[in-house]
Amino acid sequence: MPASRILPAFAAALALCAAGPLAAAPACYAPGALRAVPGEEKVQPHTTTGNTLTERALPAPQPVPAGLSGSIRRVTLPPGVKMVALTFDLCEASSEVSGYDGALVDYLRDQDAPATFFAGGKWMISHPERASQLIADPRFEVGNHTWSHANMTVTTGAAMERQVEDTDIAFATRRAGAQAAGCAVPGVPERTHLFRFPYGSCSAQSLGYVNETGHLAIQWDVDSGDPAFLGAKLMADTMLRMIKPGSIVLMHANGRGKHTAEALHILIPALKAKGYQLVTVSQLLAAGTPVIAGTCYSERPGDTKVYDDAARNGRRILPVQ
């Protein structure tokens, strides 16, 4: 059964976010304000300046329908339908201030390519204007990626809940920032409705909490591997080989992706030549039936253990750059 038929209220929320592009760019921002700034993609050591979250009341969440609970890997589409969702993580750990890959976002806008960004709450507070610009752009949607890229297998209880809730508060704050800049945000609710687990790792407790608070847990079936120095052509060729109709592709836009923007210059034209339509995750869900797993993983069950063990021992897999 397509996701759009599981529960009317939830389907309505998906439909609002599944609308096609409405304009070439968020008109409330001058074109120059949207364009990349050299150097802003770099990851910097942590600073507390401007990184304070102000509490705000949010609407009460509604749990996701039972048929959409679990870890969504990809979407099964009707025969002949070729859609793919490109997704980009905007994560920021507590020990750093991540970047913003403006060249990547510029190219998506230039190509009129819809995309889904999974933003950390801390990242949205550290990058106020960029977060508001993404939220205001009708071709993009922004999901929840925890406050500080927490490993949600190891993080439990109230700390786990705050990772989710504080990120929705940050999102609502940046949504209000877009409105203050004169942006209309029709169909963008105050809470996020999509969520991505950092490292692809979750526990039964955290997966249940994410779903109970109205978030679809969106993972992936194609990993670009862009934190590694693979090179643009190798990344693009590998993704093209792995992508199938209904795929959800993992990339990064926070400065952790290496050569990601360059890879998109190869990937997007090639996908269009193959007849693929680029869509947001919500558009993809509305078009077919999600493939759902009962647990979280990157490529196969159990493969996040290296990240889980590192988190338990207070070690970081990715050093501050």
Side-chain angles (χ1 to χ4, degrees):
M1 177 182 296
S4 57
R5 294 181 58 193
I6 290 179
L7 190 72
F10 204 82
L14 281 180
L16 283 170
C17 296
L22 301 178
C28 43
Y29 291 100
L34 296 172
R35 285 290 174 181
V37 175
E40 69 178 332
E41 75 282 356
K42 294 180 180 178
V43 180
Q44 305 291 340
H46 173 68
T47 175
T48 57
T49 303
N51 202 33
T52 302
L53 181 70
T54 301
E55 288 285 346
R56 63 188 298 144
L58 298 180
Q62 297 296 317
V64 304
L68 292 174
S69 296
S71 170
I72 296 174
R73 309 292 311 176
R74 53 173 287 106
V75 173
T76 300
L77 296 172
V81 176
K82 298 180 72 174
M83 292 180 172
V84 59
L86 304 182
T87 72
F88 301 88
D89 287 359
L90 290 164
C91 35
E92 183 172 290
S94 57
S95 58
E96 66 187 12
V97 175
S98 291
Y100 171 78
D101 194 339
L104 181 159
V105 180
D106 285 352
Y107 186 67
L108 291 173
R109 289 192 174 116
D110 291 344
Q111 292 294 303
D112 198 21
T116 300
F117 294 85
F118 288 93
K122 183 172 175 289
W123 185 93
M124 287 189 278
I125 296 301
S126 297
H127 301 76
E129 187 169 5
R130 292 311 194 184
S132 293
Q133 290 170 357
L134 292 175
I135 291 169
D137 196 314
R139 69 170 59 76
F140 301 147
E141 64 182 354
V142 177
N144 185 319
H145 195 39
T146 75
W147 173 258
S148 57
H149 207 249
N151 185 305
M152 297 290 271
T153 292
V154 175
T155 308
T156 61
M160 178 269 294
E161 294 175 3
R162 293 308 309 185
Q163 285 284 334
V164 179
E165 183 69 12
D166 286 354
T167 305
D168 271 1
I169 292 173
F171 175 84
T173 300
R174 295 305 170 232
R175 177 182 178 276
Q179 289 178 308
C183 305
V185 288
V188 181
E190 285 191 84
R191 284 186 178 273
T192 63
H193 71 281
L194 304 177
F195 182 93
R196 171 162 286 165
F197 283 99
Y199 311 105
S201 185
C202 72
S203 63
Q205 180 194 38
S206 60
L207 181 56
Y209 181 77
V210 162
N211 287 160
E212 288 166 10
T213 53
H215 301 89
L216 298 176
I218 307 298
Q219 300 302 93
W220 57 84
D221 67 321
V222 177
D223 185 348
S224 68
D226 62 356
F229 289 87
L230 301 178
K233 188 175 189 307
L234 177 58
M235 274 200 300
D237 290 347
T238 301
M239 287 187 281
L240 280 169
R241 187 174 65 252
M242 297 176 65
I243 288 170
K244 302 180 292 293
S247 282
I248 299 172
V249 185
L250 168 66
M251 289 177 272
H252 293 78
N254 66 334
R256 290 289 184 196
K258 310 305 177 190
H259 308 294
T260 311
E262 299 97 314
L264 287 181
H265 282 256
I266 304 170
L267 178 67
I268 288 178
L271 286 172
K272 290 180 177 179
K274 287 175 174 286
Y276 276 94
Q277 179 186 0
L278 303 179
V279 296
T280 65
V281 167
S282 291
Q283 289 171 324
L284 191 66
L285 289 170
T289 304
V291 176
I292 302 177
T295 187
C296 302
Y297 50 90
S298 179
E299 295 180 351
R300 61 191 63 85
D303 66 0
T304 65
K305 185 176 184 299
V306 61
Y307 300 106
D308 303 341
D309 290 345
R312 291 188 182 98
N313 294 312
R315 293 185 290 107
R316 278 181 53 77
I317 298 296
L318 293 174
V320 175
Q321 298 177 341

